[in-house]
Amino acid sequence: MFTGIVQGVATAARITAQPGLRQIVLQCPPGFTAGLQVGASVAVDGCCLTVTAVDGDAAYFDVMQQTLSLTTLGALHEGGRVNVERSFTAGAEVGGHILSGHVDTTATLAALRTPENNRVLRFAVPAPWMRYVFPKGFIAVNGASLTVAECRREPDGSGWFEVWLIPETLRMTTFGDKAVGDAVHLEIDRQTQVIVDTVERVLAERLGQGG
């Protein structure tokens, strides 16, 4: 499990194709791998990966084909930068919100604005995931726990939402690198999903009984 507080940016030092998977070697921020054990979980752009080896500040991961096809990790190239966070331990401060590291879908950066000391990103979200996005609600974008500032849902179930980022967030993440058209990972808040799905199911049952 993760908190959505990105601990730094890692660089893909080497990517090697192997049968059914790719081995990705990330050069991590200084100190990030201290005490990191083989078998531990690391969120890489919000995608939970298992550490297969550690060598100094480098962490090794084997990424299976399904993960490569469903996430942006399939397009990661050597020199590419990703957000990283180690799994949290019992008693640790949760500054964001609880994340599983399971990517629900990808969104596209549709627009960006740069008011003074801020960066506003607007993401286009496919159906049916916009049903779980609400103003002031939590959402994880590339592993970062962010608060939705504004959003809009379209009749077809798609839509968009905006987040405002301060300089510290830009410094600690890759969001300053993003350009319009780039894809990002989304993980929706599980509590929100449960509430929305439950309400929709109850309403559907009641309407069905009334009919």
Side-chain angles (χ1 to χ4, degrees):
M1 305 295 284
F2 307 93
T3 69
I5 302 300
V6 173
Q7 296 170 322
V9 174
T11 302
R14 186 169 70 250
I15 300 176
T16 306
Q18 298 181 1
L21 56 82
R22 287 182 192 169
Q23 183 188 75
I24 297 178
V25 181
L26 295 182
Q27 187 67 25
C28 300
F32 182 85
T33 59
L36 187 65
Q37 301 292 321
V38 171
S41 296
V42 173
V44 178
D45 268 354
C47 181
C48 181
L49 300 180
T50 300
V51 176
T52 59
V54 178
D55 182 9
D57 287 333
Y60 291 63
F61 305 90
D62 290 340
V63 187
M64 59 185 168
Q65 194 59 49
Q66 184 183 36
T67 301
L68 294 170
S69 63
L70 294 176
T71 70
T72 63
L73 296 180
L76 183 64
H77 56 83
E78 293 183 356
R81 289 160 31 98
V82 290
N83 298 329
V84 289
E85 181 194 353
R86 291 176 57 164
S87 58
F88 78 91
T89 56
E93 179 180 351
V94 180
H97 69 286
I98 301 299
L99 304 176
S100 66
H102 297 161
V103 174
D104 289 304
T105 188
T106 57
T108 303
L109 181 57
L112 61 86
R113 309 192 306 277
T114 54
E116 187 175 5
N117 287 325
N118 287 273
R119 189 175 181 88
V120 184
L121 306 182
R122 175 178 291 190
F123 295 103
V125 181
W129 300 103
M130 273 303 299
R131 59 158 43 108
Y132 305 117
V133 181
F134 298 91
K136 312 306 179 189
F138 291 122
I139 193 163
V141 182
N142 275 4
S145 173
L146 301 175
T147 301
V148 176
E150 296 182 50
C151 66
R152 176 177 175 178
R153 284 181 286 275
E154 303 294 347
D156 66 357
S158 65
W160 57 261
F161 70 90
E162 288 186 344
V163 294
W164 288 61
L165 306 180
I166 60 174
E168 177 63 14
T169 303
L170 295 174
R171 184 183 71 85
M172 288 296 294
T173 68
T174 63
F175 290 122
D177 302 340
K178 299 303 180 187
V180 171
D182 286 349
V184 296
H185 298 149
L186 297 185
E187 180 181 333
I188 60 172
D189 177 48
R190 290 291 170 253
Q191 289 184 327
T192 301
Q193 183 181 24
V194 169
I195 292 170
V196 171
D197 287 348
T198 300
V199 170
E200 289 184 347
R201 183 174 65 252
V202 170
L203 288 174
E205 290 174 351
R206 290 184 177 179
L207 290 174
Q209 293 172 356

